[in-house]
Amino acid sequence: AATPAATPAAPTLSRVAYSMAAAESTHFGFHKALMDIINRKVVTATPVGNGICGPSANMMATGEAHLGLICSPVAYEAVNGVGDYQGKAIALRALLWYGISEQLIVVTEASGVTKLEDLTGKRFNPGVRASSTEAMTLSAFKALGIEPNLQRGTLTDAVSAIKDRQSVGYVKGGV
């Protein structure tokens, strides 16, 4: 196991930087409400970054953010210094575990995809780039030996690619 990176500078008692979910995320409403509670009851919380898993972990490692949304696969890799964090472990602590995020896999009827294995070789968006959805999808596909032709980008990119018949589907996280 890798040695954890130095703990980021502690936030001041009056202000914290919060890497919360992006407005497009199904998690946004929860994180907005949580930030409002923090602002009313604890300290001033300022949103920073885009709230996507990997960047949130990196922002907390450098002290750019003091709180952030991180999905389980990214947190595991970051804390243990494996995967994308090979040799670069980050000292993180879970403040709140708030729910399970379903991963909704959507494909067009015309694609002929009827089971996950059918995605191999097909153009497919695994979730918004650097999101928890993308991380969990790629981890599951790797474990299952499923190898689509990945089309990465935003949710808008994924939907446009389907409309233009450039992709057979996408994954969207939901709560």
Side-chain angles (χ1 to χ4, degrees):
T3 304
T7 302
T12 66
L13 294 177
S14 62
R15 184 172 302 278
V16 295
Y18 182 22
S19 181
M20 61 183 268
E24 300 81 23
S25 172
T26 56
H27 298 273
F28 177 78
F30 172 82
H31 283 270
K32 175 72 171 89
L34 182 58
M35 190 172 76
D36 290 347
I37 291 168
I38 291 169
N39 279 324
R40 275 196 323 272
K41 304 280 186 181
V42 187
V43 297
T44 301
T46 304
V48 295
N50 61 12
I52 296 176
C53 270
S56 285
N58 295 333
M59 290 177 76
M60 285 189 281
T62 62
E64 294 173 76
H66 305 104
L67 299 170
L69 167 65
I70 299 184
C71 61
S72 299
V74 170
Y76 176 85
E77 287 184 1
V79 168
N80 291 288
V82 299
D84 288 344
Y85 297 88
Q86 187 69 41
K88 304 177 286 187
I90 301 172
L92 297 173
R93 291 191 175 85
L95 174 64
L96 174 66
W97 184 279
Y98 74 91
I100 296 171
S101 181
E102 299 163 343
Q103 304 305 309
L104 310 170
I105 300 172
V106 179
V107 295
T108 64
E109 187 174 356
S111 70
V113 172
T114 59
K115 57 187 183 298
L116 289 176
E117 294 83 2
D118 295 342
L119 288 170
T120 294
K122 302 231 168 134
R123 296 173 68 121
F124 185 79
N125 179 294
V128 173
R129 182 180 292 282
S131 68
S132 60
T133 296
E134 182 187 53
M136 288 185 268
T137 300
L138 296 178
S139 178
F141 281 5
K142 182 177 179 181
L144 296 170
I146 298 167
E147 298 180 6
N149 177 353
L150 298 175
Q151 306 296 305
R152 292 187 161 116
T154 66
L155 180 58
T156 301
D157 295 334
V159 172
S160 293
I162 290 169
K163 285 180 179 178
D164 296 340
R165 294 179 168 59
Q166 298 299 309
S167 177
V168 300
Y170 65 99
V171 181
K172 177 68 177 107
V175 182

